[in-house]
Amino acid sequence: MFLAIPVFADTMPFYTNMVPKSAIGVYQTDTDLDIYYCPEANSKLAKKYQLSYKQETMPDNMFALLINDKKLGFLYVTDIGDDGWVEVVYDKQLGLKGWVLTSDRLQFLPWINFYNLYGRKYGMKFLKNAPQDLYVLRSKCDDDAQIISKLNYIEQIKLTKISGNWALVTVFDIDRTPKTGWMKWRNSDGTIYAFPNIK
């Protein structure tokens, strides 16, 4: 006898392969979500959603990040059109994409804006399979720059600013001594290693 017990949870990226390399940022969802085949007002609808932000009714395999209690949902954005249109991934498992029209300038957040907003507010965390050689702070945003400190037991990463694929951070290790330097949050091929620790 098999029991089908649904598990409803918030969504966060935990591994580097959960964030598409083609993603250029995120789109914050409203209650109404209309996804079109083309970035045009007269285009056909690909999907139409009414989002309740109640765990039992939210669609699977859609969100880059979803925190139902905060009614905070983001989809990955992979392209930008004209006049406020952005292309989003609305089914991560099948790789389905469509176009949505942003209602204001903050609804689409390129990675640098997303990190500056949410990374500064909540701090950052390394994704679980990020290479161990990235667990260092460097004196400059350069792969060959001097290593200031190795990070062994990270308790908190506070973001100061993003510069390209590098982040200026202050890290609190297990000894609670703050260490400041540059860490690599993204590779040049688009692989993301660290993500805002939104709670």
Side-chain angles (χ1 to χ4, degrees), residues 37-94:
Y37 284 109
C38 300
E40 300 168 354
N42 59 357
S43 173
K44 287 186 178 180
L45 273 173
K47 281 282 186 179
K48 185 177 182 67
Y49 294 95
Q50 284 277 330
L51 301 175
S52 67
Y53 299 95
K54 294 177 181 175
Q55 293 182 346
E56 63 272 13
T57 64
M58 293 299 279
D60 291 330
N61 298 310
M62 174 186 274
F63 289 90
L65 180 138
L66 174 64
I67 301 178
N68 286 298
D69 287 347
K70 293 181 182 286
K71 294 189 175 180
L72 187 65
F74 291 98
L75 307 182
Y76 290 118
V77 173
T78 53
D79 199 3
I80 306 171
D82 295 328
D83 302 320
W85 289 92
V86 293
E87 184 185 54
V88 298
V89 178
Y90 66 91
D91 189 318
K92 297 184 295 184
Q93 189 170 11
L94 298 176

Side-chain angles (χ1 to χ4, degrees), residues 112-156:
I112 191 166
N113 297 31
F114 178 67
Y115 278 70
N116 279 330
L117 184 60
Y118 288 96
R120 284 185 179 185
K121 182 174 181 179
Y122 294 100
M124 308 228 322
K125 65 173 183 177
F126 277 108
L127 298 181
K128 290 185 176 180
N129 59 335
Q132 287 297 308
D133 61 359
L134 297 180
Y135 281 63
V136 295
L137 295 179
R138 296 187 182 271
S139 59
K140 296 187 295 186
C141 40
D142 190 301
D143 287 318
D144 297 322
Q146 176 187 357
I147 293 176
I148 297 170
S149 178
K150 292 187 177 180
L151 307 174
N152 298 312
Y153 303 100
I154 299 169
E155 291 197 352
Q156 185 183 17

Side-chain angles (χ1 to χ4, degrees), residues 182-193:
W182 293 91
M183 68 175 234
K184 198 168 191 178
W185 69 273
R186 180 178 64 181
N187 198 5
S188 56
D189 68 356
T191 303
I192 286 180
Y193 300 126

